[in-house]
Amino acid sequence: MRAVRLSVVTATAAVAALTAVTGCTEKSSSGSGDRVVEVTATDDKCEVSKKEFPAGHVELAIENKGSKVTEVYVLFPDDRIVTERENIGPGTKQRVTAEVKAGDYQIACKPGMKGDGIRQNVKATGGTVAKRDPRLDKAVASYRAYVQAQADETLPLAETFAAAVKAGDLEAAKKAYAPSRIGWERTEPVAESFGDIDPKVDVRADGLEDGQEFTGWHRLEKALWQDKKIGAAEKTLADQLIADLKDWQKRVGKAEITPTSMANGAKELLDEVATGKVTGEEERYSHTDLVDFKANVEGAEKSYALLKPVAKENDAALVTELDQQFAALNTLLDKYRADKTSYDFTSYDKVGEADRKELSDGVNALAEPLSKLAAAVVAK
């Protein structure tokens, strides 16, 4: 769960809001290729090198020239996420490859990772996207089935958790909490792509926007571990959690999924680990961070495995490195559980600073080559 989310607005409202925002200026094209869009983010601007580009594969060359950490999104007009890159530090650069059909989009920069972002209207032009490798179509179909299965399997686990909350059984609710989140954590980028579900289900207290109600798993986590009590409000929130997860279950099969969104989603899952799990911020009350950590890695590895045959042809060295780094990180995680099939991980408050540093280094070692997977998948 990222700290904050883009709020959901209608397409009309999004365009109206964009025209009212100051600091959105078009940057002259640098001639770096029709399919490369340079995005320069500052604390009050979001400059793009071009506002039209051919449909198909587009690469964002992002540079953060501001003083704040930023995020950059490509959005559909209704705020669904095409692709994103989070946690772009001041003075750093990132490159993100995405697949877009002809149509209208927005590029948004979020300095400080707050609010709706500074937005630019852009357009992908041309006819249909070139036919992709049939193996990639198969990978997308398999991944779509995977995310639906994860949602289907999550619901009964979440219902067990909610039932314990509604029964006022503190210990049973604690026991059911972490297992109820595994499927969500494996496929979180797909859930987040809708924009409106994640803020209801997985928001943390420090990620609340002005006026936003604290709901979902982490609100109940706080009640169970910090407040140590279940009241009428928590029982109502348990029902709301199930309603929101049922909404996710119904919608996840209709998500926009492409080979590049799978690859970028794998990288996003590692970013989730780096910014929430390794730091202990995600599960700050229950300290079940390593369960989420493992689920994020599993989800990333699933996307990678499905894309691997094509990526290996295009960049064999990258695949070799990814194989090694996934294996190393999984071996490292195995140190913190009784056996390789169990999700009974060490409570994260028992993991010392040196061990957290080792986990962080393992995540970073995998995240760097994983950021190159999308480009390898679409390489000619």
Side-chain angles (χ1 to χ4, degrees):
M1 159 66 214
R2 69 180 66 119
V4 289
R5 305 241 55 82
L6 288 166
S7 62
V8 175
V9 294
T10 64
T12 301
V15 173
L18 179 65
T19 59
V21 171
T22 60
C24 279
T25 58
E26 185 170 3
K27 187 180 176 184
S28 61
S29 175
S30 65
S32 54
D34 288 346
R35 297 190 180 280
V36 176
V37 179
E38 297 180 15
V39 181
T40 303
T42 68
D43 294 345
D44 58 5
K45 293 182 181 180
C46 188
E47 299 179 336
V48 297
S49 62
K50 54 176 68 74
K51 290 194 174 182
E52 290 193 5
F53 43 82
H57 295 120
V58 61
E59 183 174 1
L60 303 185
I62 305 165
E63 182 173 7
N64 182 4
K65 292 187 175 181
S67 64
K68 302 175 181 177
V69 176
T70 196
E71 300 172 342
V72 173
Y73 296 78
V74 178
L75 302 168
F76 291 103
D78 62 359
D79 263 23
R80 287 178 299 121
I81 299 171
V82 179
T83 194
E84 63 181 305
R85 184 55 53 86
E86 302 176 9
N87 300 296
I88 306 169
T92 64
K93 298 179 181 181
Q94 296 276 340
R95 297 184 82 89
V96 185
T97 301
E99 183 177 323
V100 294
K101 299 176 182 177
D104 295 325
Y105 299 88
Q106 292 182 331
I107 292 176
C109 305
K110 291 181 61 179
M113 302 188 292
K114 292 286 187 181
D116 287 348
I118 304 166
R119 301 187 175 200
Q120 288 277 16
N121 283 335
V122 296
K123 181 187 290 289
T125 60
T128 58
V129 176
K131 188 175 181 180
R132 68 166 69 112
D133 188 318
R135 292 174 297 175
L136 294 178
D137 287 328
K138 182 179 179 181
V140 168
S142 295
Y143 187 68
R144 189 179 297 281
Y146 172 73
V147 296
Q148 184 65 65
Q150 293 304 306
D152 293 344
E153 292 168 13
T154 293
L155 192 60
L157 295 171
E159 287 174 334
T160 297
F161 170 63
V165 172
K166 292 178 69 178
D169 191 334
L170 200 69
E171 292 308 313
K174 286 182 176 181
K175 184 177 180 180
Y177 172 76
S180 76
R181 292 175 47 76
I182 292 172
W184 173 274
E185 291 291 332
R186 285 172 177 159
T187 60
E188 194 166 0
V190 178
E192 289 178 345
S193 72
F194 296 110
D196 61 331
I197 297 176
D198 184 83
K200 300 175 185 177
V201 168
D202 201 29
V203 70
R204 302 196 311 249
D206 58 338
L208 295 171
E209 299 282 1
D210 291 342
Q212 181 183 352
E213 183 183 359
F214 190 14
T215 61
W217 268 303
H218 294 304
R219 169 63 179 81
L220 293 169
E221 178 202 8
K222 178 179 180 293
L224 297 174
W225 274 274
Q226 179 171 290
D227 302 337
K228 296 181 173 58
K229 62 181 181 180
I230 298 172
E234 285 73 34
K235 294 177 183 180
T236 299
L237 287 170
D239 282 334
Q240 182 180 339
L241 174 64
I242 297 305
D244 291 335
L245 289 175
K246 285 181 177 178
D247 183 28
W248 165 55
Q249 182 191 31
K250 290 177 182 177
R251 292 164 64 183
V252 71
K254 301 175 183 177
E256 188 79 15
I257 297 174
T258 65
T260 54
S261 75
M262 290 169 58
N264 290 327
K267 173 61 165 61
E268 290 164 31
L269 285 169
L270 266 291
D271 290 343
E272 292 278 349
V273 174
T275 60
K277 282 69 175 185
V278 167
T279 63
E281 295 175 66
E282 179 83 358
E283 305 290 357
R284 63 192 64 182
Y285 312 112
S286 65
H287 305 300
T288 56
D289 303 88
L290 288 173
V291 178
D292 288 4
F293 190 144
K294 179 62 176 179
N296 285 156
V297 173
E298 287 176 336
E301 194 163 14
K302 179 66 175 182
S303 291
Y304 167 60
L306 292 171
L307 297 170
K308 182 177 175 178
V310 173
K312 187 173 184 178
E313 285 187 8
N314 294 331
D315 194 338
L318 177 65
V319 166
T320 297
E321 184 175 8
L322 285 170
D323 284 345
Q324 292 172 347
Q325 296 301 341
F326 267 116
L329 187 54
N330 280 316
T331 297
L332 186 56
L333 281 168
D334 285 343
K335 290 170 52 178
Y336 299 95
R337 57 179 177 171
D339 62 76
K340 294 183 180 181
T341 62
S342 169
Y343 282 86
D344 184 16
F345 281 89
T346 301
S347 181
Y348 203 57
D349 59 335
K350 302 294 192 293
V351 178
E353 289 302 316
D355 289 331
R356 292 189 183 199
K357 174 65 163 54
E358 185 181 30
L359 287 165
S360 178
D361 289 345
V363 171
N364 292 335
L366 173 57
E368 194 280 327
L370 198 57
S371 69
K372 303 173 184 178
L373 180 59
V377 166
V378 304
K380 299 298 184 184

